[in-house]
Amino acid sequence: MSITGRIHSIETCGTVDGPGLRVVVFTQGCPLRCLYCHNPDCREISGGTEVTADEMVAEIQKYRFYIRPPGGVTLSGGEPLMQPEFVQEILRQCKALGIHTALDTSGYCPLAIARPVLEFVDLVLLDIKSFNPSIYTQVTSVSLQPTLDFAQYLSDCHKPAWIRFVVVPGLTDDPNNVAGLAQFVARLKNVERVEVIPFHKMGEYKWQQLGYDYQLSNTPTPTPECIQAIRAQFQQATPALVL
Ligand code: SF4
């Protein structure tokens, strides 16, 4: 019998979650509570729709013509590693079909759980939301160390990764925070790209609909100069990796 899991939605022509054109599966459930989350309706593992891994792979296969390499499938969320067996089975079947696989994760997951899933992942999109532990906890409500351990594990086993960092003015844009993360990333051996992403408020209306308290209403989005300065910091530490 096929393994079941819960998903929030599927995007069939994704262009920002990995290389090429991708089918992006947004899984349900996330242990983090990021202040800027644009998918707060992904939070609860009990939400979304129940599907089987076989059904998901059948759905993904409908788009095989569009997702030829360098495109593929990306498992995102929510936090895909909250449903490790379900996600592993989708990735395993996709890889067997020759489809490029990516996993978009916060890395907030015990390595013993993540390791078997990662066997079927070609590329990890790892969100490191801050390098300063107290800012990280302020942003996400969880601790930083599991994500750093996850990043180090990916480096040790040479698993290709893109690092993603969201710039929130007054929160994550502190130059010392950025410098610490840039130096950490520079020591990793597997990073192919660093993405500096401006915070936006496109999900704010969802917070209101769900009755959640959105604390960043008065936080401005970062200026182009701010983004440029942060990109320059990463560029200094990791030339050629920064987008
Ligand atoms: S990790 Fe992603 S899905 Fe989870 S709360 Fe943070 S932004 Fe939202």
Side-chain angles (χ1 to χ4, degrees):
M1 214 166 84
S2 185
I3 297 168
T4 60
R6 302 194 75 84
I7 64 157
H8 173 273
S9 56
I10 302 176
E11 185 183 359
T12 54
C13 247
T15 56
V16 295
D17 293 309
L21 275 180
R22 311 191 72 81
V23 172
V24 185
V25 179
F26 294 95
T27 59
Q28 190 68 27
C30 185
L32 276 63
R33 294 291 177 264
C34 300
L35 296 176
Y36 51 72
C37 181
H38 60 279
N39 285 330
D41 42 345
C42 278
R43 251 186 214 184
E44 302 303 333
I45 188 75
S46 56
T49 310
E50 187 178 80
V51 293
T52 67
D54 288 354
E55 285 167 343
M56 286 312 309
V57 174
E59 185 65 23
I60 292 162
Q61 282 213 74
K62 290 183 191 166
Y63 305 97
R64 278 196 78 177
F65 178 77
Y66 297 99
I67 59 172
R68 286 179 298 196
V73 64
T74 298
L75 273 287
S76 182
E79 172 51 68
L81 291 172
M82 266 191 98
Q83 303 183 72
E85 291 92 4
F86 172 61
V87 166
Q88 179 177 335
E89 180 59 13
I90 296 171
L91 294 167
R92 185 189 70 74
Q93 290 192 34
C94 286
K95 272 208 71 74
L97 291 164
I99 299 171
H100 180 272
T101 59
L103 179 75
D104 179 12
T105 177
S106 66
Y108 185 76
C109 175
L111 284 172
I113 291 175
R115 266 190 214 110
V117 180
L118 289 167
E119 274 182 40
F120 301 99
V121 174
D122 294 315
L123 172 71
V124 177
L125 311 175
L126 179 62
D127 300 306
I128 306 184
K129 294 153 192 289
S130 166
F131 192 69
N132 176 306
S134 62
I135 297 173
Y136 189 92
T137 300
Q138 193 184 346
V139 171
T140 65
S141 298
V142 299
S143 59
L144 169 65
Q145 195 58 46
T147 295
L148 297 186
D149 293 345
F150 192 95
Q152 191 59 54
Y153 172 73
L154 296 179
S155 173
D156 292 346
C157 64
H158 302 281
K159 179 69 72 181
W162 293 3
I163 303 295
R164 314 217 279 190
F165 174 68
V166 177
V167 178
V168 186
L171 209 51
T172 65
D173 63 343
D174 174 69
N176 291 329
N177 185 36
V178 176
L181 182 56
Q183 284 154 21
F184 174 77
V185 171
R187 289 194 294 273
L188 302 175
K189 298 179 180 70
N190 60 324
V191 177
E192 294 182 344
R193 180 182 288 198
V194 175
E195 292 185 335
V196 175
I197 302 170
F199 145 75
H200 63 73
K201 300 186 200 178
M202 284 187 273
E204 184 173 2
Y205 77 96
K206 291 190 194 171
W207 286 66
Q208 285 156 358
Q209 284 173 354
L210 291 163
Y212 297 159
D213 178 24
Y214 190 73
Q215 295 176 32
L216 302 182
S217 290
N218 297 322
T219 301
T221 53
T223 61
E225 293 75 24
C226 166
I227 295 296
Q228 193 43 46
I230 289 174
R231 285 206 176 107
Q233 272 192 283
F234 277 103
Q235 226 137 21
Q236 221 176 9
T238 59
L241 295 183
V242 182
L243 277 198

